[in-house]
Amino acid sequence: MLSGVDIEDSQLGAARAHLADLGLQADLRRADAAALTYEDASFDHVWMMWVLEHVPDPVAALKEARRVLVSGGRITAIEVDYNSVWTSPETDALRALFADVARTMEANGRSDTGAHLEGWLVKAGFGSVDPGERRLHYSGGELFRQLPYVAAVVESTLGTQHEAGRAELKTLATRPGAALGFTVHKATAEA
Ligand SMILES: C[S@@+](CC[C@H](N)C(=O)[O-])C[C@H]1O[C@@H](n2cnc3c(N)ncnc32)[C@H](O)[C@@H]1O
């Protein structure tokens, strides 16, 4: 059975609509990742993506994930390092834009969650930890496809600030030799 939690009703609503479009059944509940409403050893896999960057105590959330996993069950946790974003060409406006994204993430949680995943998983009691560092970079058609997503993340973080940087980001893929990259950790471990 596919199950999922989020602390925000609106996010659960969006997930329900998305799953319905895909024709998938799931039990979605409102819950804090650090206080799940499932019995011990309920799942054989936990997947969490871009959640630990927001929670006040990431190790507590990972301990809770381990509690609901069967012995030998696996976790996949995906987090980014917002300080690692680079663009080519690098302009003052784009540099200022991504520096402010990292600052805003830090003020509301963490900007470098990916870099901490391995240590937090060990502290939470997981074994066979693979930090899963991936240095992603996009250019050409891949950059065209990726940019709307990056622009949406930037806008959801900064709102309407940095008009010049956001405008440059939207047209980055039209510039000769353009590229954008960042470091993501897709960490895996065993309960
Ligand atoms: C950046 S979004 C990622 C959403 C989704 N995982 C994805 O990859 O598209 C972060 C999500 O974490 C949720 N969240 C923040 N703190 C949480 C907590 N303590 N427990 C559960 N969910 C939380 C937010 O409501 C939001 O939906």
Side-chain angles (χ1 to χ4, degrees), residues 2-164:
L2 185 62
S3 302
V5 300
D6 197 286
I7 207 159
E8 296 271 350
D9 285 326
S10 58
Q11 294 289 76
L12 289 168
R16 283 197 184 96
H18 185 57
L19 289 168
D21 281 350
L22 296 172
L24 293 174
Q25 300 273 324
D27 163 34
L28 298 186
R29 302 181 185 180
R30 184 171 183 279
D32 185 334
L36 298 175
T37 53
Y38 304 110
E39 302 286 318
D40 293 359
S42 295
F43 300 102
D44 52 18
H45 198 121
V46 167
W47 172 283
M48 51 171 70
M49 180 162 165
W50 296 333
V51 173
L52 293 174
E53 66 187 23
H54 299 289
V55 308
D57 185 347
V59 174
L62 289 170
K63 281 185 179 163
E64 196 53 355
R66 192 165 71 88
R67 181 185 69 74
V68 302
L69 275 168
V70 296
S71 172
R74 296 190 66 80
I75 185 168
T76 304
I78 302 174
E79 297 288 339
V80 70
D81 182 349
Y82 290 90
N83 306 287
S84 69
V85 181
W86 59 266
T87 63
S88 175
E90 189 186 41
T91 66
D92 287 347
L94 285 170
R95 201 180 303 113
L97 179 74
F98 286 113
D100 214 19
V101 169
R103 252 195 313 275
T104 304
M105 287 306 300
E106 192 63 35
N108 296 310
R110 280 185 170 274
S111 65
D112 59 351
T113 306
H116 292 276
L117 268 183
E118 182 178 15
W120 289 342
L121 284 161
V122 171
K123 268 196 191 157
F126 284 94
S128 305
V129 177
D130 175 356
E133 180 178 320
R134 288 158 165 75
R135 291 177 190 209
L136 304 180
H137 69 272
Y138 301 95
S139 57
E142 289 243 48
L143 182 61
F144 264 105
R145 280 189 289 281
Q146 190 68 16
L147 275 181
Y149 179 69
V150 175
V153 171
V154 167
E155 202 163 316
S156 77
T157 309
L158 297 181
T160 55
Q161 298 174 65
H162 289 282
E163 200 177 325

